[in-house]
Amino acid sequence: MSNTNVLPLIEPEPAAAAAPCCPPLTERPFSADEAETAARMFKALGDPVRLRLFSAVASHEGGEACVCDISDVGVSQPTVSHHLKKLKEAGLLTSERRGTWVYYRVEPSVLAAMGKLLAFGPAAA
Amino acid sequence: MSNTNVLPLIEPEPAAAAAPCCPPLTERPFSADEAETAARMFKALGDPVRLRLFSAVASHEGGEACVCDISDVGVSQPTVSHHLKKLKEAGLLTSERRGTWVYYRVEPSVLAAMGKLLAFGPAAA
C-alpha cells in the first residue's frame, strides 16, 4: 500500500494578507486589487479594542501571548476572541493551540509591509 | 481702543490626528486613548476606495491634487468628495480651496507617525 500521491486533506490556510502587496502610498496610485489587500490590513487595525489587543500581543514577552495574557482591555473574553480572529483573518496574527490555550503571534512580514506602504520616498517632505 | 486680549473667534481646527500619538505597536500595550487616536487613522485607510484616493493624492505631482485629478476610481464625484472629507477628518489630508477646485495634500507628519507605529524595535524579527 502506497501513501505517496495522497492529496493533503487539510492544507494550512495561508494568511490572507501575509505577502507584501503594494508599493509605498506615495509612489503611484494603487490599483483596485492592491487597495483591496492593503485596506483589509488597515481596517483590521481600525478598531480601538482590536488595536489594543494587537499591541498587547506585539509587545508581550517573546512576541506572543495567549488570551489569558491580554484580557485586560475592558471587554469580555468572547469579544477578545472575536477580535483576535479578525486580526488573524487579516493576516496580522498567527495562532497556535498549546494545551488549553491558543497563543497568538504577530506576523512580522505583514507589519513590515504596512510600514513600507507608509514610507515616504526621497522626494516627499 | 485696544485689541489685545481679544479671544480669537474662529480658531483653526487642528487636524484630528495630526500629532504623533503613540509608541510603536511592539513597545508596550496601547492605552485606551492612544488606541482611539491611532485606530481613527487606520480606519480611514481601511476602505479600498479611500485608500486609492489617498494614494492618488499622495503620489500626485507636487504631493497635492484636486478632485478633478483623481476621479478615475470608478465612483461618483460626490462619493469621491465624501471619502476625501473622511480622510481630512482623520487628519490624513489637508485641503485648500483655490477658485473652483479644492486641492488636497497629504499631511506628512501623520503618515510618518503611522509608519513609526508599525516600526519594529531591535528585538523583533
Side-chain angles (χ1 to χ4, degrees):
Chain A
M1 204 164 72
S2 160
N3 59 4
T4 55
N5 293 325
V6 173
L7 285 173
L9 290 180
I10 302 172
E11 185 80 27
E13 190 92 22
C21 77
C22 314
L25 280 160
T26 53
E27 196 170 296
R28 59 166 172 74
F30 274 20
S31 71
D33 281 352
E34 289 170 340
E36 280 289 342
T37 307
R40 198 186 306 127
M41 298 189 283
F42 284 120
K43 193 177 176 183
L45 296 180
D47 175 277
V49 172
R50 216 141 59 214
L51 198 53
R52 289 186 74 186
L53 290 170
F54 185 78
S55 73
V57 172
S59 63
H60 201 260
E61 216 182 316
E64 69 168 18
C66 79
V67 179
C68 54
D69 295 319
I70 52 171
S71 44
D72 59 343
V73 297
V75 294
S76 68
Q77 195 185 304
T79 303
V80 168
S81 297
H82 164 79
H83 282 305
L84 290 171
K85 189 163 166 261
K86 290 276 174 194
L87 288 165
K88 241 184 90 172
E89 285 169 0
L92 293 168
L93 294 180
T94 56
S95 72
E96 190 190 338
R97 178 175 286 280
R98 282 183 233 140
T100 313
W101 295 104
V102 178
Y103 286 79
Y104 293 87
R105 176 174 281 283
V106 169
E107 180 54 51
S109 66
V110 173
L111 270 208
M114 288 181 79
K116 224 170 81 179
L117 284 186
L118 297 166
F120 275 100
Chain B
M1 205 162 73
S2 159
N3 60 5
T4 56
N5 294 325
V6 173
L7 286 173
L9 290 179
I10 302 171
E11 186 80 26
E13 189 93 21
C21 77
C22 313
L25 280 161
T26 53
E27 197 170 296
R28 58 165 172 75
F30 273 22
S31 70
D33 281 353
E34 289 170 341
E36 279 289 342
T37 307
R40 199 186 305 128
M41 299 189 283
F42 284 121
K43 192 176 178 184
L45 296 180
D47 175 278
V49 172
R50 217 140 61 212
L51 198 53
R52 289 186 74 186
L53 290 170
F54 185 79
S55 73
V57 172
S59 63
H60 201 260
E61 216 182 313
E64 68 168 19
C66 79
V67 179
C68 55
D69 294 319
I70 52 172
S71 43
D72 59 343
V73 296
V75 294
S76 69
Q77 196 187 304
T79 302
V80 169
S81 296
H82 165 79
H83 282 304
L84 290 171
K85 189 164 165 260
K86 290 276 174 193
L87 288 166
K88 240 184 91 172
E89 286 169 358
L92 293 168
L93 293 181
T94 56
S95 71
E96 190 190 337
R97 179 173 285 280
R98 282 183 232 139
T100 313
W101 295 104
V102 178
Y103 286 79
Y104 293 88
R105 176 175 280 282
V106 170
E107 180 54 49
S109 65
V110 173
L111 270 208
M114 290 180 78
K116 225 171 79 179
L117 285 187
L118 298 166
F120 275 100

